[in-house]
């Protein structure tokens, strides 16, 4: 919003230093986005056109004899309105004009235009930097004296471009800004005059206005003025409107705009002769009803839109924009002036749905002062009578659905001091409230009752009062104190630390983290076969069809991420996501933390030769999961075959395992089933792992204990054996672990082999065993004796054949 400093000075005697004023506004919470300075260039004076004649060598140029109060000049002019007798600005020789858009400077010099000498330049408002666009010369008041510097008629001004937050609609006006500045700077504030001395003749106005939707229009006022004369506004008013970015139209429209930006209360003036029945009806629109607004657009309405109607049809969209058929025109003589309060939520919804935004809707949808409706109407009427003539034909008709509501906020002085950390006296706090227009009652040494003015819609609580004290007293007055350290809990007790450590271990393992929204459509929510219609959780107020359900698992989001990457040419993927998932069982809603890992594509795309083309396989994701489980010291985990009749098994092909920790299954891994990837342009298998992290984090981990390293070398022995292909490695590992073989430090599988020579349904397995003592170097005889005993037990008790 643009605010003119010279306009502000009508209400307060403010310091003209723009930089200082901008700092005060910013520190009070009113952001200054820009500062523009307006000044008439030196060397531009009032001049009178004495004579105009056509240019002999150009059809669109004229030669004007111009009197500047001391010398007559011959000036070639291309404007169509350079008529004799007009008072216009003359840029004398040597004056410098600046183009507002390009910054280019033009110094006026004597030159010939089509062989005719020109001694100066007659100027438009655009050329003087006073308007963004002009149609001709700037015509000055008839009583202007030739030779007077134009800067005396149009003093220099500073315009601030302010960012007003939505909770402060009272600042969307010059009066609102002036009131706040008066409180900030400790200045006297005065309201403009809205006195009306003319009396309306006695008349029955009971049928002038009918409000049929009082819940959407709690207050509506109207009055009639007859015999006005439509014309141009005075130059002072046009100048102020131009500076804040408005284009002057005519005196009546300009007055309504002027009062809007002065008081913050939108007004509308109807041509009374164009209102059927000479009356106003405020109602909800009928479905399918149409209106053509002032911008020439036809809008189709429904019952949610509030409209201002005459006796037959809508003539304005309430609080948004007037209708084309009832606007002010050159032949208008009788007016109906509207000043009202409309429900903000309805104006906001209608403005968004119809795609219309105006200065009026911007204020109504944030909330205007319901008690300021009559002042704005009176202010507009006083200006109309002064600038357009006419007679007041009716008293103010004021239809009000509810009476004034006075907010009372209990204020404890000690509480405000503790919130702000400031040492400020009770009387000073009360003084700040009074400077802001609040009334104080029941004040004592500890507390008072603060009654904010009706324009301050943002003041509800003691915290709001604290903020006002801080703004006005000054943020810079907050005392500087050294920070005080507070002893918190142990870092080990922080629930997020464990999650972050696990997440970091996934990144350390070479995975990239991805994030997805928690809202899905129905089909995506049901993509995981572990969940059905009864277990997915619907959202009561979804933003769209694509976000109707909370995600029951991370599977759908991960598949979408994989598909998105592959479709954009990134097919070597190692991804993970850890996030909350939601499901329900009857009326019981469950939220838990889940981890999903996805791997597909080349194992080592950065390498060369044959290694570069190697693809991830099932054992890559299995090994990665094993490494992460060990790194996070999770006890007692093991992989088991995932039953084919389990709903989770439908996620995978034949390669699939379940993770068991203790007595619970807490995860699944495997190759993604074909239905999950059939719509992707994927060329390599996709491997997935899904884990219940809430249950995993609930597992109590053993304390980390130091174990000394042996100083002596280890000795290795191998065992090769044949077994049925259905025998799992875990069965062999479990058996060996139960034997508690002396000096056995570790054992591991290092080869799996099967072909026709071994036999159908058979496989060959090879294991390495490492023996080491903490006290000595083991001899071959000692190792052989222990190892042979272990071989004998394996051969006797397992369904294997030693090789």
């Amino acid at each position: 919003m643009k605010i003119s400093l010279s306009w502000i000075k009508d209400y307060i005697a403010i310091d003209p230093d723009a930089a200082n004023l901008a700092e005060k506004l910013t520190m009070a919470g009113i952001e200054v986005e820009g500062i523009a300075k307006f000044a008439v260039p030196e060397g531009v004076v009032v001049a009178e056109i004495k004579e105009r004649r056509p240019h002999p060598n150009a059809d669109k140029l004229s030669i004007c004899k111009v009197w500047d109060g001391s010398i007559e000049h011959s000036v070639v002019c291309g404007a169509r309105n350079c008529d004799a007798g007009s008072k216009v600005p003359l840029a004398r020789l040597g004056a410098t004009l600046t183009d507002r858009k390009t910054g280019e400077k033009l110094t006026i010099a004597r030159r010939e235009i089509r062989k005719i000498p020109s001694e100066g330049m007659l100027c438009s408002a655009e050329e003087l930097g006073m308007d963004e666009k002009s149609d001709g010369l700037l015509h000055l008041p008839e009583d202007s004296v030739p030779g007077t510097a134009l800067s005396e008629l149009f003093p220099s001004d500073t315009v601030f471009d302010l960012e007003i937050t939505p909770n402060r609609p009272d600042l969307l006006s010059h009066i609102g800004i002036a009131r706040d500045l008066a409180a900030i700077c400790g200045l006297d504030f005065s309201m403009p005059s809205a006195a009306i001395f003319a009396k309306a003749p006695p008349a029955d106005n009971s049928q002038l206005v009918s409000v049929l939707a009082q819940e959407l229009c709690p207050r509506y006022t109207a009055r009639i003025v007859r015999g006005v004369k439509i014309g141009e506004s005075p130059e002072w008013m046009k100048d102020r409107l131009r500076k804040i970015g408005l284009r002057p139209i005519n005196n009546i429209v300009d007055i309504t705009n002027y009062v809007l930006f002065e008081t913050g209360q939108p007004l509308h003036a109807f041509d009374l002769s164009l209102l059927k029945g000479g009356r106003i009806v405020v109602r909800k629109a009928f479905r399918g009803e149409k209106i053509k607004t002032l911008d020439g657009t036809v809008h189709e309405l429904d019952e949610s839109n509030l409209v201002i109607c005459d006796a037959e049809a809508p003539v304005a969209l309430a609080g948004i924009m007037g209708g084309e058929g009832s606007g002010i025109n050159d032949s208008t003589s009788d007016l109906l002036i509207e000043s009202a309060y409309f429900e903000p939520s309805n104006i906001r919804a209608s403005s968004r749905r119809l795609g219309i935004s105006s200065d009026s809707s911007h204020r109504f949808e944030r909330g205007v002062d319901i008690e300021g409706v009559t002042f704005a109407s009176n202010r507009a009427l006083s200006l109309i009578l002064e600038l357009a003539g006419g007679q007041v034909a009716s008293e103010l008709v004021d239809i009000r659905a509810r009476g004034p509501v006075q907010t009372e906020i209990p204020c404890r002085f000690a509480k405000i001091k503790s919130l702000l950390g400031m040492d400020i006296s009770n009387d000073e706090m009360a003084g700040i409230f009074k400077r802001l227009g609040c009334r104080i009652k029941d004040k004592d040494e500890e507390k008072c009752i603060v009654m904010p003015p009706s324009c301050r819609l943002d003041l509800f609580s003691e915290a709001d009062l604290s903020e006002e004290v801080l703004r006005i007293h000054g943020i810079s007055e907050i005392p500087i104190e050294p920070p005080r350290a507070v002893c918190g809990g142990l870092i080990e007790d922080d629930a997020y630390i464990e999650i972050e450590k696990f997440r970091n271990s996934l990144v350390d393992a070479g995975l990239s983290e991805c994030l997805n929204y928690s809202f899905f459509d129905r089909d995506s929510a049901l993509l995981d076969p572990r969940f059905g219609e009864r277990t997915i959780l619907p959202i009561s107020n979804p933003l769209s069809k694509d976000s109707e359900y909370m995600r029951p698992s991370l599977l759908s989001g991960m598949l979408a991420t994989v598909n998105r990457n592959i479709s954009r040419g990134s097919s070597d993927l190692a991804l993970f996501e850890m996030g909350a998932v939601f499901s329900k069982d009857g009326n019981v809603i469950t939220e838990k933390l889940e981890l999903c890992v996805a791997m597909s594509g080349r194992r080592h795309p950065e390498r060369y030769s044959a290694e570069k083309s190697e693809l991830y396989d099932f054992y890559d994701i299995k090994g990665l999961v094993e490494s992460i489980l060990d790194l996070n010291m999770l006890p007692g985990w093991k992989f088991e075959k995932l039953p084919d009749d389990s709903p989770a098994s439908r996620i995978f092909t034949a390669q699939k395992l379940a993770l068991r920790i203790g007595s619970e299954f807490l995860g699944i891994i495997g190759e993604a089933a074909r239905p999950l990837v059939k719509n992707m342009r994927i060329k390599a298998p996709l491997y997935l792992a899904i884990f219940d992290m809430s249950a995993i984090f609930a597992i109590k981990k053993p304390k980390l204990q130091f174990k000394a390293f042996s100083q002596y070398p280890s000795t290795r022995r191998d065992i090769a054996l044949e077994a049925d292909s259905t025998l799992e490695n875990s069965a062999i590992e479990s058996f060996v672990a139960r034997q508690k073989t002396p000096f056995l430090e570790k054992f591991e599988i290092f080869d799996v082999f099967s072909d026709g020579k071994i036999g159908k349904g058979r496989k060959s397995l090879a294991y390495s065993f490492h023996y080491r003592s903490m006290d000595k170097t083991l001899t071959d005889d000692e190792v052989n004796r222990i190892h042979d005993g272990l071989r004998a037990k394996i051969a006797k008790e397992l369904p294997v054949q030693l090789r």
Side-chain angles (χ1 to χ4, degrees):
M1 177 187 166
K2 290 182 169 59
I3 293 292
S4 164
L5 180 57
S6 65
W7 196 340
I8 289 288
K9 289 179 179 178
D10 286 357
Y11 320 116
I12 54 175
I14 192 68
D15 180 3
D17 185 344
N20 181 47
L21 190 56
E23 182 181 3
K24 289 181 181 293
L25 288 168
T26 300
M27 296 304 291
I30 306 170
E31 182 182 355
V32 179
E33 292 191 322
I35 302 175
K37 295 188 177 181
F38 292 84
V40 175
E42 292 185 11
V44 181
V45 299
V46 177
E48 181 179 358
I49 301 176
K50 293 293 188 179
E51 177 186 332
R52 174 187 182 182
R53 56 190 174 86
H55 194 293
N57 303 320
D59 295 337
K60 296 183 178 180
L61 298 179
S62 302
I63 302 172
C64 299
K65 295 295 183 182
V66 181
W67 171 252
D68 70 355
S70 58
I71 302 173
E72 188 171 84
H73 304 269
S74 176
V75 179
V76 177
C77 180
R80 292 176 295 178
N81 62 339
C82 55
D83 301 317
S86 300
K87 304 283 182 66
V88 296
L90 169 66
R92 288 171 168 167
L93 299 178
T96 301
L97 307 182
T98 303
D99 190 307
R100 283 180 61 185
K101 297 178 181 177
T102 65
E104 184 179 351
K105 295 185 180 297
L106 171 66
T107 300
I108 306 302
R110 185 181 186 281
R111 63 193 185 101
E112 290 189 354
I113 301 176
R114 295 290 182 93
K115 300 182 180 180
I116 300 296
S118 181
E119 302 168 339
M121 177 178 171
L122 303 182
C123 302
S124 66
E126 180 180 0
E127 290 162 336
L128 293 172
M130 298 169 61
D131 202 352
E132 293 188 1
K133 188 175 182 180
S134 300
D135 294 330
L137 298 179
L138 175 62
H139 279 208
L140 304 175
E142 294 181 359
D143 58 355
S144 302
V145 178
T148 304
L150 197 65
S151 57
E152 295 184 20
L153 274 65
F154 301 98
S156 62
D157 196 5
T158 301
V159 174
F160 297 92
D161 193 357
L162 307 180
E163 176 65 28
I164 306 300
T165 55
N167 68 318
R168 292 297 306 273
D170 61 298
L171 296 179
L172 292 171
S173 66
H174 283 75
I175 286 177
I177 296 295
R179 184 190 294 115
D180 234 44
L181 280 173
I184 295 166
C185 303
L187 303 174
D188 292 332
F189 169 75
S190 60
M191 290 286 284
S193 172
I196 303 170
F197 301 104
K199 295 292 184 181
D204 181 11
N205 298 313
S206 59
Q207 301 302 312
L208 182 62
V209 177
S210 300
V211 180
L212 306 182
Q214 291 193 341
E215 73 280 8
L216 301 182
C217 179
R219 190 175 191 186
Y220 191 95
T221 69
R223 61 174 13 124
I224 294 174
V225 182
R226 297 187 184 274
V228 300
K229 183 179 180 181
I230 306 298
E232 285 196 14
S233 300
E235 201 56 49
W236 65 266
M237 179 176 284
K238 292 196 290 185
D239 182 49
R240 286 188 170 180
L241 294 177
R242 289 191 196 104
K243 286 175 180 175
I244 61 172
L246 297 184
R247 180 174 59 89
I249 297 174
N250 59 53
N251 49 3
I252 300 300
V253 174
D254 291 349
I255 287 170
T256 59
N257 285 333
Y258 184 87
V259 174
L260 164 63
F261 282 89
E262 181 179 51
T263 67
Q265 171 65 44
L267 304 174
H268 190 71
F270 296 97
D271 186 327
L272 186 63
S273 67
L274 300 177
L275 295 178
K276 303 294 191 296
R279 59 191 297 261
I280 287 292
V281 179
V282 184
R283 61 170 174 81
K284 294 180 181 179
F286 303 127
R287 180 169 293 277
E289 200 167 26
K290 295 182 179 181
I291 183 174
K292 188 174 185 180
T293 48
L294 288 171
D295 60 0
T297 305
V298 177
H299 300 277
E300 185 172 332
L301 311 176
D302 61 23
E303 297 89 341
S304 67
N305 303 125
L306 186 68
V307 289
I308 311 299
C309 307
D310 58 16
E312 297 180 3
V315 293
L317 280 170
I320 300 176
M321 189 173 289
E324 191 176 68
S326 61
I328 304 301
N329 55 64
D330 292 342
S331 61
T332 298
S333 62
D334 298 337
L335 307 175
L336 184 145
I337 305 171
E338 168 196 280
S339 181
Y341 178 92
F342 300 112
E343 189 62 37
S345 59
N346 178 262
I347 301 302
R348 183 164 53 251
S350 293
S351 178
R352 299 296 183 274
R353 193 184 77 81
L354 298 174
I356 311 176
S357 181
S358 64
D359 290 322
S360 293
S361 67
H362 184 73
R363 286 157 177 78
F364 276 126
E365 66 188 23
R366 285 159 173 77
V368 300
D369 180 6
I370 194 170
E371 303 303 325
V373 168
T374 53
F375 175 82
S377 180
N378 291 339
R379 175 65 170 157
L381 178 60
S382 66
L383 290 172
I384 288 172
L385 296 178
E386 176 186 350
L387 305 178
Q391 296 179 337
V392 181
S394 75
E395 294 290 345
L396 182 70
V397 176
D398 188 352
I399 297 180
R400 187 164 187 164
R402 58 174 185 252
V405 178
Q406 178 62 66
T407 302
E408 294 189 355
I409 306 173
C411 171
R412 295 167 295 172
F413 297 124
K415 179 63 175 178
I416 291 182
K417 292 177 185 178
S418 67
L419 285 173
L420 301 181
M422 286 181 172
D423 185 16
I424 179 172
S425 69
N426 298 351
D427 290 339
E428 193 170 357
M429 274 191 267
I432 288 174
F433 298 143
K434 290 178 181 178
R435 278 152 50 194
L436 288 168
C438 302
R439 290 186 291 134
I440 305 293
K441 74 173 186 178
D442 300 339
K443 180 177 177 293
D444 56 31
E445 292 299 318
E446 297 180 354
K447 64 186 182 304
C448 68
I449 300 296
V450 178
M451 296 179 287
S454 57
C455 62
R456 290 302 302 271
L457 306 178
D458 60 314
L459 299 183
F460 296 103
S461 66
E462 199 170 48
D464 297 325
L465 298 179
S466 301
E467 183 180 340
E468 293 305 295
V469 172
L470 179 62
R471 284 194 324 111
I472 305 305
H473 187 63
I475 295 176
S476 60
E477 298 299 319
I478 297 176
I480 299 175
E481 296 183 0
R484 291 176 294 174
V486 178
C487 182
L490 297 174
I491 192 69
E492 291 82 2
D493 297 333
D494 189 335
Y496 186 75
I497 290 294
E498 190 172 8
I499 297 174
E500 189 63 17
K501 285 182 178 178
F502 202 97
R503 180 180 277 114
N504 289 339
S505 70
L506 294 167
V507 174
D508 293 342
L511 300 178
S512 298
E513 185 174 12
C514 60
L515 295 172
N516 288 288
Y517 289 115
S518 299
F519 315 122
F520 284 147
D521 59 35
R522 176 183 173 278
D523 292 340
S524 298
L526 292 173
L527 191 62
D528 191 327
R530 296 176 296 168
F531 301 94
E533 289 279 5
R534 295 183 178 180
T535 54
I536 58 176
L537 183 63
I539 298 173
S540 59
N541 56 340
L543 296 175
S544 68
K545 278 287 195 181
D546 294 333
S547 57
E548 288 185 299
Y549 293 88
M550 301 297 291
R551 61 183 180 188
S553 82
L554 301 181
L555 177 62
S556 180
M558 181 59 75
L559 291 174
T561 300
V562 170
N563 187 30
R564 190 179 304 111
N565 278 271
I566 290 175
S567 65
R568 287 159 176 77
S570 178
S571 56
D572 301 319
L573 303 173
L575 307 172
F576 81 92
E577 179 177 8
M578 190 184 299
V581 295
F582 309 84
S583 60
K584 66 173 184 174
D585 183 5
N587 294 325
V588 179
I589 296 174
T590 301
E591 177 184 350
K592 63 182 181 180
L593 192 65
E594 188 171 273
L595 169 67
C596 183
V597 178
M599 299 174 70
S600 180
R602 293 176 295 174
R603 183 185 294 126
H604 300 298
E606 77 283 357
R607 295 189 181 175
Y608 301 94
S609 191
E611 288 187 339
K612 185 172 183 178
S613 59
E614 291 179 1
L615 300 178
Y616 285 121
D617 60 22
F618 175 77
Y619 296 101
D620 284 307
I621 193 167
K622 179 175 179 289
L624 180 137
V625 170
E626 290 173 342
S627 299
I628 293 172
L629 294 174
D630 284 339
L631 188 63
N632 287 276
M633 297 183 298
L634 289 168
W637 60 267
K638 64 179 180 178
F639 285 111
E640 296 183 1
K641 185 178 180 180
L642 182 63
D644 291 335
D645 58 353
S646 168
S649 68
R650 298 202 298 273
I651 299 174
F652 307 112
T653 62
Q655 282 189 307
K656 53 194 173 187
L657 290 174
L659 173 68
R660 179 194 288 273
I661 301 180
S663 60
E664 295 187 53
F665 286 103
L666 301 181
I668 50 177
I669 67 171
E671 180 183 346
R674 181 61 187 167
L676 297 182
V677 298
K678 65 180 180 180
N679 294 324
M680 299 183 192
R681 292 182 289 179
I682 193 167
K683 296 179 181 179
L686 173 64
Y687 298 97
L688 299 169
I690 304 173
F691 301 103
D692 182 352
M693 297 308 298
S694 293
I696 289 175
F697 285 136
I699 296 171
K700 187 175 181 179
K701 296 180 182 179
K703 288 187 177 180
L704 187 63
Q705 294 181 337
F706 172 76
K707 182 179 180 181
F709 293 100
S710 174
Q711 302 178 39
Y712 303 97
S714 66
T715 302
R716 170 176 167 169
R717 297 289 186 271
D718 294 341
I719 295 179
L721 52 87
E722 290 183 15
D724 190 271
S725 60
T726 60
L727 181 65
E728 296 180 358
N729 171 63
S730 60
I732 298 174
E733 289 184 342
S734 298
F735 175 80
V736 173
R738 289 197 302 271
Q739 305 313 305
K740 300 187 182 300
T741 306
F743 304 120
L744 181 60
E745 185 179 49
K746 66 176 181 177
F747 64 95
E748 57 191 1
I749 188 171
F750 68 87
D751 187 38
V752 180
F753 178 76
S754 63
D755 66 4
K757 295 180 180 179
I758 298 176
K760 187 176 181 181
R762 304 284 289 175
K763 62 183 177 181
S764 172
L765 305 171
Y767 292 84
S768 64
F769 295 79
H770 298 262
Y771 298 91
R772 191 197 304 261
S773 171
M774 294 291 293
D775 305 316
K776 64 179 181 177
T777 300
L778 296 174
T779 65
D780 284 344
D781 290 341
E782 289 175 316
V783 172
N784 289 339
R785 186 174 62 254
I786 296 170
H787 185 67
D788 289 343
L790 180 58
R791 279 175 56 89
K793 289 182 180 180
I794 291 174
K796 180 180 178 180
E797 299 184 30
L798 288 177
V800 300
Q801 180 182 351
L802 298 180
R803 297 178 64 188

